[in-house]
Amino acid sequence: VEASEEGVRVGGKVLEGSVVWDPKDLELNFTIEDEKATLPVAYHGQVPDSFQQGKDVIIEGTFADGLFTASHIMPTCPSKYE
């Protein structure tokens, strides 16, 4: 992922043990991973009920200085046919 002021969409699996949630300040920090890399993510706001460690997620936001700042978190639902 390159530095971008425009919105970027990336996907990956939420790394087990990486989630830090502060419900008082609505601050969520976590790391996503794929076969090639890991990416630290910061998010502020309500967390979707289906957001879980070890599950796939798609995030939208901006990337700068090695940190992805998410504006949207979209947990992906597994196919009912799997």
Side-chain angles (χ1 to χ4, degrees):
V1 179
E2 296 179 7
S4 174
E5 294 299 317
E6 297 178 15
V8 177
R9 179 181 283 190
V10 296
K13 186 177 299 276
V14 179
L15 185 64
E16 294 277 349
S18 72
V19 176
V20 177
W21 168 238
D22 182 347
K24 181 173 61 92
D25 295 329
L26 299 179
E27 295 290 339
L28 175 68
N29 293 285
F30 60 99
T31 301
I32 62 170
E33 65 179 348
D34 65 11
E35 307 83 40
K36 300 175 187 167
T38 60
L39 180 65
V41 179
Y43 174 74
H44 178 83
Q46 291 294 329
V47 178
D49 291 338
S50 55
F51 176 85
Q52 295 180 10
Q53 296 185 70
K55 301 293 184 185
D56 289 329
V57 67
I58 296 171
I59 54 176
E60 290 181 342
T62 57
F63 181 79
D65 300 322
L67 178 66
F68 193 95
T69 302
S71 55
H72 293 89
I73 298 176
M74 297 161 285
T76 59
C77 299
S79 169
K80 64 182 180 180
Y81 300 108
E82 285 183 2

